[in-house]
Amino acid sequence: MSENGGGHLLSVQGVHKKFGRQEVLKGMSLDVDQGHVVAILGPSGSGKSTLLRCINQLEKINGGDILFGGRSVCYQPGDAHKPLPEREIARLRTHIGMVFQRFNLFPHLSALGNVMEAPVQVLKRPKEEARETAIQMLTRVGLASKLHAYPAQLSGGQQQRVAIARALAMNPRLMLFDEVTSALDPELVGEVLAVMRDLAAEGMTMLAVTHEMAFAREAARRVVFIDEGTIQEEGPPEEFFGAPKTERARNFLRRVTQG
């Protein structure tokens, strides 16, 4: 596989992914440049979350390649038949933050403890340095007053913001958001989207699977519409929302705006 990402921070190149006989990603290609926000839209079951999981190597691909910073995250250099060793995948993952639908916080740790955990355990940072970074990140997501609160004492929106702070504490070059507001009560969605908008304004490179059309319209530089494992359409938000080119995209937008 090519080791040349063409100068893109992330380059998904003809990726196939199967679960048993079902092909979920069908030769998908996508490039993301440094500092860009890409919103991924599409109906349930279209392959959106699987794409993110493949980028972060939580799922192994069946064909194609994924380059991050010009290097394959799937294979050893120059040999597409040799998977990248797990220690190398783990090292690459430290540069890619991922936030899921479910918060996955450690219930026995405070917000501060949750955010400190990976820098100490994975990056081997001194505890005092990790604590300082954790305080900065929790302040950044508006939780300076909740440093010592445990997950059970926090609302869903606050827990999700802790999860974002936890990812940011690793100082990632790329953030992956997988429908991070879909498990939240409607009144809590706004506080999480506000953090994501702030990150976008600060120049964080982001790939966000989302059902929040207003966020995609306002914060994304590019919208990618996926259906049945393929990219059906992509372009600037004003084009996608204003004049979608495909019937599938028009039907999707009609459903989500009426729903």
Side-chain angles (χ1 to χ4, degrees), residues 85-174:
E86 281 301 321
R87 66 179 181 278
E88 280 294 300
I89 291 171
R91 191 183 64 78
L92 281 164
R93 275 202 198 113
T94 64
H95 301 291
I96 303 174
M98 189 161 179
V99 186
F100 302 86
Q101 289 183 38
R102 298 291 170 186
F103 325 122
N104 299 323
L105 300 179
F106 294 114
H108 64 288
L109 295 178
S110 65
L112 189 62
N114 267 281
V115 178
M116 285 177 61
E117 185 74 2
V120 170
Q121 299 298 329
V122 178
L123 300 182
K124 307 302 180 186
R125 294 271 159 79
K127 280 194 175 180
E128 199 46 52
E129 180 187 324
R131 177 184 170 84
E132 193 174 310
T133 299
I135 292 171
Q136 289 173 359
M137 294 306 111
L138 286 164
T139 301
R140 190 175 178 183
V141 300
L143 291 174
S145 64
K146 299 291 185 180
L147 301 181
H148 303 295
Y150 287 83
Q153 299 169 313
L154 300 172
S155 70
Q158 290 169 335
Q159 289 186 61
Q160 193 60 290
R161 283 187 282 155
V162 173
I164 293 172
R166 178 176 59 185
L168 292 174
M170 299 292 282
N171 194 26
R173 296 178 64 194
L174 170 67

